[in-house]
Amino acid sequence: MRTHVVDHPLVAHKLTVLRKVETDSPTFRSLADELVTLLAYEATRDVRVEAYDIETPVSPTTGVRLARPRPLVVPILRAGLGMLDGMMRLLPTAEVGFLGMIRNEETLEASTYAERLPDDLSGRQCYVLDPMLATGGTLAAAIKFLTDRGADHITAVCLLAAPEGCARLEKELEGLDVPVTIVTAALDEKLNDKGYIVPGLGDAGDRLYGVVG
């Protein structure tokens, strides 16, 4: 597994505003959208392409286009939905699948409650959208879910990551014969006793969409 922290002043600036407790939901959603587009630029460096012959106004030439099967973007519900538009802005021809996962707040273990994905993902590159790589349980479960269906290349895009989550991913994905890359805006200090990233930005889902009782 490889972890890539995007070192760019615009990423750092937008992340700083996201972290502020007084940032309201509309502003948070807008900034998250912009930040994900910046992260997506880095996350798609290894997207598969194929040669493509075209005519310019001056002469023939050979360029590239996205290879088939198309990349699959998989937001983890619900907070991952807040990252989808930013990712699709860069990959408008990608296909989208959905994976609903919930974390037990006592055990911190993740379970799947819904999915809308092809049964066969053989040969597919998947881009998983999960704002917070905290304990790592949800993302590890999502990656295993996708690779069990045949996905052969996984890139996870996260707003923030914690060292504990990265370490757990390394451990749980050990022996997995599929390249996995984590692209994040920052690797924060630690997790607190409730499994939240410190300094973090709070609950990403609540800050995107409000608290749903």
Side-chain angles (χ1 to χ4, degrees):
M1 188 188 85
R2 181 173 68 95
T3 301
H4 176 51
V5 180
V6 178
D7 180 18
H8 192 287
L10 283 179
V11 169
H13 165 72
K14 293 179 189 300
L15 180 58
T16 299
V17 183
L18 277 183
R19 291 186 191 272
K20 292 170 61 178
V21 68
E22 61 265 33
T23 298
D24 60 21
S25 287
T27 304
F28 192 97
R29 285 194 296 270
S30 177
L31 283 168
D33 181 70
E34 295 169 10
L35 182 54
V36 171
T37 299
L38 294 173
L39 297 178
Y41 180 80
E42 293 294 330
T44 53
R45 283 190 177 274
D46 295 324
V47 69
R48 293 169 185 155
V49 295
E50 60 188 12
Y52 182 50
D53 294 329
I54 62 169
E55 293 275 348
T56 80
V58 179
S59 71
T61 189
T62 300
V64 298
R65 63 181 175 185
L66 291 181
R68 290 182 178 271
R70 293 175 181 174
L72 183 67
V73 178
V74 184
I76 297 179
L77 306 178
R78 70 177 167 139
L81 284 176
M83 304 173 69
L84 182 57
D85 286 348
M87 190 74 188
M88 295 305 291
R89 187 171 295 113
L90 223 60
L91 277 177
T93 60
E95 296 177 350
V96 180
F98 297 93
L99 190 54
M101 309 200 80
I102 190 167
R103 185 177 75 165
N104 185 303
E105 294 302 326
E106 293 182 2
T107 66
L108 303 184
E109 296 297 320
S111 59
T112 304
Y113 66 85
E115 61 94 359
R116 183 70 173 176
L117 292 161
D119 291 332
D120 184 5
L121 294 175
S122 299
R124 300 295 291 265
Q125 279 186 297
C126 293
Y127 293 88
V128 182
L129 308 181
D130 190 15
M132 312 297 282
L133 172 47
T135 65
T138 299
L139 190 53
I143 290 171
K144 289 177 182 177
F145 189 99
L146 296 172
T147 55
D148 284 347
R149 292 200 176 184
D152 65 358
H153 189 280
I154 305 285
T155 300
V157 182
C158 306
L159 300 180
L160 290 179
E164 295 92 333
C166 293
R168 179 173 178 177
L169 273 183
E170 288 271 12
K171 181 178 180 181
E172 294 206 13
L173 301 180
E174 187 176 1
L176 184 69
D177 191 25
V178 171
V180 175
T181 300
I182 308 300
V183 176
T184 184
L187 183 62
D188 271 10
E189 180 185 342
K190 63 180 180 180
L191 295 180
N192 64 17
D193 57 2
K194 294 183 178 179
Y196 281 85
I197 299 175
V198 178
L201 49 75
D203 185 296
D206 288 349
R207 298 201 66 188
L208 280 163
Y209 303 117
V211 179
V212 180

